[in-house]
Amino acid sequence: MRYLKIITVIISILLTCFDVHSAEPKVKVKHVFDIHAKCSEARNLGVIPGGLRVMIPIVGGNVEGDVVADILPGGADYQLVDTVSGRVEFNAIYTLRTNDSKLINVRNIGVSKGDYFTTSPVFEAPVDSQYDWLNNRIFICKPIGFGNGIVHLRVWMVE
């Protein structure tokens, strides 16, 4: 139910971001932080309806920028791979611990195919904290690098 509401909000934002007389968006984005997620070896769970399910454990990492945090071990990226088209759906779920010990849950969903790779993280932060703004914004993110078991993601906030 929460994700249906999020999708409805995203659609309404997209509809208001475009001038009906122009294909140019009126929306702006602001870089807010980078995520450096340390992952361990992928686990092939087998073919399920819809494709090949792969689970990649998230075992640590950090966040730098407007939010400074560590990534707690125990999360994972649950990927659904279409082996025919090469399309991959991402559903990463993990938790951040900020430098002032607040916990923030992250669910980062997205898709890649060929050169296209974009996700949209959704944050659940304590409302009585300086991170409440994460609960009330739309974010997009793209990978900026891979290496040594770490995925580097850049996150922008839609303004």
Side-chain angles (χ1 to χ4, degrees):
M1 184 61 134
R2 178 175 174 356
Y3 295 105
L4 181 58
K5 183 178 178 183
I6 291 168
I7 291 169
T8 303
V9 169
I10 291 171
I11 290 170
S12 67
I13 288 171
L14 290 174
L15 289 174
T16 60
C17 290
F18 287 88
D19 182 335
V20 294
H21 303 290
S22 170
E24 294 299 315
K26 297 185 294 185
V27 68
K28 294 181 180 179
V29 295
K30 174 188 172 195
H31 173 244
V32 287
F33 48 82
D34 292 339
I35 298 172
H36 310 284
K38 184 176 181 183
C39 302
S40 64
E41 187 175 324
R43 298 178 184 163
N44 182 340
L45 304 178
V47 176
I48 64 166
L52 173 66
R53 177 64 74 193
V54 176
M55 190 271 288
I56 301 174
I58 299 172
V59 297
N62 68 309
V63 177
E64 300 172 328
D66 290 355
V67 173
V68 177
D70 291 323
I71 299 172
L72 299 179
D77 184 3
Y78 301 91
Q79 299 181 0
L80 185 61
V81 181
D82 181 336
T83 57
V84 175
S85 72
R87 182 179 190 273
V88 180
E89 292 179 13
F90 303 96
N91 186 3
I93 302 169
Y94 51 99
T95 302
L96 310 178
R97 182 179 53 225
T98 64
N99 60 351
D100 59 347
S101 299
K102 301 296 184 191
L103 298 177
I104 300 171
N105 287 322
V106 182
R107 180 166 186 204
N108 198 359
I109 58 174
V111 65
S112 75
K113 183 171 182 185
D115 293 338
Y116 181 84
F117 184 148
T118 302
T119 64
S120 183
V122 175
F123 300 95
E124 295 176 340
V127 295
D128 62 347
S129 74
Q130 66 176 325
Y131 308 101
D132 182 47
W133 61 276
L134 292 168
N135 297 315
N136 303 302
R137 302 280 193 232
I138 300 295
F139 299 88
I140 57 172
C141 113
K142 292 185 89 48
I144 56 172
F146 302 91
N148 297 324
I150 299 176
V151 177
H152 304 279
L153 302 169
R154 178 140 301 152
V155 179
W156 295 271
M157 178 177 67
V158 177
E159 294 188 314

